[in-house]
């Protein structure tokens, strides 16, 4: 294999690795941002319920 062919192959291999790595990082970042956004939206729409228990001691006759 000639030196120039080998250098081109190495350069192409590095470019492919960086492209894949950038793509994966971008996808993970989108997933994280979306998950945080969903959690914030859901936490703002929580309806808080309360319970009131009536016992014989609390009834006024």
């Amino acid at each position: 294999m000639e030196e120039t062919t080998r250098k081109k192959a190495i350069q192409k291999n590095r470019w492919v690795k960086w492209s894949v790595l950038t793509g994966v990082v971008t996808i993970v970042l989108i997933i994280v941002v979306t998950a945080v956004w969903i959690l914030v939206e859901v936490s703002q729409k929580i309806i808080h319920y309360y319970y009131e228990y009536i016992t014989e001691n609390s009834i006024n006759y």
Side-chain angles (χ1 to χ4, degrees):
M1 182 181 268
E2 292 184 23
E3 186 68 23
T4 56
T5 307
R6 188 176 68 80
K7 284 184 180 181
K8 286 182 181 180
I10 290 172
Q11 186 178 7
K12 183 179 179 182
N13 191 15
R14 286 182 185 163
W15 184 84
V16 169
K17 285 181 183 177
W18 277 107
S19 297
V20 170
L21 181 64
T22 303
V24 169
V25 168
T26 303
I27 290 171
V28 168
L29 185 62
I30 289 170
I31 291 171
V32 167
V33 168
T34 303
V36 168
W37 176 69
I38 289 171
L39 288 174
V40 168
E41 286 291 319
V42 168
S43 69
Q44 291 176 354
K45 295 180 181 178
I46 293 177
I47 300 172
H48 298 282
Y49 294 99
Y50 69 94
Y51 296 96
E52 184 175 326
Y53 294 102
I54 299 176
T55 61
E56 288 183 28
N57 296 335
S58 64
I59 298 175
N60 294 327
Y61 292 102

